[in-house]
Amino acid sequence: TMSLREHALSLFRGAVGTVRPAPMLKRALKLQGDGCPQLLVKGQAFPVKRDLYLVGFGKAVLGMAAAAEEILGDHLTRGIINVPLGIQESLQRAGMQEMLLKPHSKIQVIEGAKNNLPDEEALKGAVAILELAEGLTADDLLLVLISGRGGSALLPAPIPPILLKEKEKLTKMLASRGAAIQELNIVRKTLSMLKGGGLAQLAHPAQVVSLILSDVIGDPLDIIASGPTAPSSHSVQDCLQILTKYNLLHNLPKSVETVLSSSPTKPTAPENYSHVSNIILGSNTLALEEAKCQAERLGYAALVLSAAVQGEVGRVATLYCQLIQLVCLAFTSLGKGPLSDELRENLLQLAAELQIPGLDLDEFLQALQGLGSDRPVCILAGGETTVQLQGTGKGGRNQELVLRVGLGLHKAQATGASSPQGRCEILFLSGGTDGQDGPTEAAGAFCSPGLVAEALQEGLDVEAFLRNNDSYTFFCQFQGGHHLLVTGLTGTNVMDIQAILIRAM
């Protein structure tokens, strides 16, 4: 029999594999017919009357463009993609040829946005994309590839006379005064030519088909990469409100004042987007669906908790620890009783505080109880947690989450003499689908309840590592790095994936 660890790895790889650019595009995109060819996207047909153009921006777009060019062949007239600095070299080094364009590609690659910040190179790429879009006619088709991660920083085109450095300075001032990411994006969109539906409007009257890889909880079209092909739900009024809230209305650059005073007061009406189709090709939900199918093939009773898990990493760890306790109780026929009721109450309260969108925990717990105790259980989840940095260590949110779950399971075992965990085999995994967790080469890690006790035997104090946000160093030193999840670059990104595997001993 395979170990839980092998199962977890196989589920994680399967989930990531299904949202990798090449397989994802090949499943969704086809070109049909010769006389008047049609582009088929997930069953929707778009006639290619004259020329077919391609633009794209974001971290995973290089692999998407390579796959798209293979599918489109000679029908592709020309393309421009804006990708992060150094990505071609990284993929080359990693031996991922399938993610790179062929030598005589019709697609021009511009690298920019060093450290994920808009810069002159990114601006050059954005302007080239803007000029291509402006020149299109009603008979042209523009295929837009969008990868959420890094997509926004790679598409800076401030409305003249605003200069890039003025827009950046304003964004930094907002951030330093505590503006939330949503607020920053609203201001950026209002001052940008391409964001907030700008690209789609410039490409009118051409048919615009947008293929999107989502890295945002809930897949909101107007938020992913700041929504260049989606109607913005915000107006200049919203932008002014935010600037007023952070006391910046009276020290704006002259250029920003000029643009704000001449901006339309209402967002562009949705009916002005009738020439646009936005299609989500890859998302955390799709990755979790694939993992669930694989778990069922491996004999697990599998449930997806949520693709929108968010919140502070310590609280999310508590949620997972309590879920694990509950499943173990069900396995040991203690599933009905005061301990089980108390856990349920705690879980419902915690879920309410975390405000995980779309999660009906009551319904989930009922489904969990209905699984019976004859099969091993697999609980899957995804999303993106946040870490409050207190220390100076090296790690990432996935490794820290795993270490906190390990500590939580250890404490639960230490307090309960009749701890149900003792009769179950448990594994918890968390990893970033892009193959990188924080500034490390690990994608994440996994643990079982014995982690803390085993670490103590090696002289490693888990709590001290956590206080210093130093989860990566811990996992490198513990059992020779055996608990690190290392996948290498994946060329995709749909946030993080967690798996809980439990079987009776």
Side-chain angles (χ1 to χ4, degrees), residues 207-221:
Q207 171 77 53
V208 177
V209 180
S210 232
L211 307 182
I212 301 166
L213 182 63
S214 167
D215 70 328
V216 183
I217 280 178
D219 310 330
L221 292 172

Side-chain angles (χ1 to χ4, degrees), residues 263-287:
S263 293
T265 50
K266 287 193 170 64
T268 313
E271 55 267 25
N272 294 2
Y273 287 83
S274 56
H275 63 299
V276 185
S277 294
N278 287 304
I279 298 161
I280 301 259
L281 276 200
S283 65
N284 194 278
T285 305
L286 281 161

Side-chain angles (χ1 to χ4, degrees), residues 309-493:
V309 173
Q310 56 186 12
E312 200 273 315
V313 67
R315 308 187 64 105
V316 174
T318 306
L319 181 83
Y320 287 143
C321 286
Q322 292 181 347
L323 268 176
I324 290 168
Q325 300 279 324
L326 207 56
V327 175
C328 290
L329 280 174
F331 270 159
T332 52
S333 71
L334 300 167
K336 299 264 190 290
L339 186 57
S340 168
D341 294 343
E342 188 189 343
L343 273 171
R344 269 182 86 94
E345 281 310 305
N346 290 348
L347 269 167
L348 290 168
Q349 170 135 23
L350 195 55
E353 285 167 23
L354 284 168
Q355 292 186 330
I356 296 166
L359 170 62
D360 183 345
L361 190 64
D362 219 5
E363 195 181 309
F364 179 81
L365 293 177
Q366 267 168 342
L368 201 56
Q369 272 185 326
L371 291 179
S373 55
D374 49 343
R375 280 195 297 167
V377 170
C378 167
I379 298 175
L380 295 156
E384 208 158 83
T385 57
T386 45
V387 175
Q388 301 285 325
L389 286 177
Q390 268 131 12
T392 53
K394 197 173 181 184
R397 56 180 183 263
N398 289 289
Q399 293 163 77
E400 177 146 337
L401 177 62
V402 170
L403 202 47
R404 286 185 181 280
V405 167
L407 182 62
L409 293 175
H410 172 75
K411 286 184 170 167
Q413 215 157 5
T415 51
S418 63
S419 171
Q421 273 172 222
R423 301 177 222 174
C424 292
E425 198 186 346
I426 301 162
L427 187 112
F428 176 76
L429 170 146
S430 184
T433 52
D434 60 351
Q436 285 179 311
D437 187 28
T440 73
E441 88 282 1
F446 37 84
C447 73
S448 48
L451 175 99
V452 175
E454 289 164 26
L456 279 170
Q457 288 172 346
E458 292 185 30
L460 300 172
D461 176 356
V462 166
E463 297 194 56
F465 282 99
L466 281 170
R467 276 196 296 278
N468 195 29
N469 297 115
D470 204 10
S471 52
Y472 176 69
T473 309
F474 169 84
F475 281 114
C476 285
Q477 292 178 9
F478 176 61
Q479 296 184 356
H482 189 60
H483 286 68
L484 279 170
L485 173 64
V486 182
T487 60
L489 277 179
T490 62
T492 188
N493 188 348

Side-chain angles (χ1 to χ4, degrees), residues 178-190:
I181 183 73
Q182 285 82 353
E183 295 177 313
L184 292 177
N185 281 342
I186 291 170
V187 173
R188 278 190 199 129
K189 282 198 296 194
T190 311

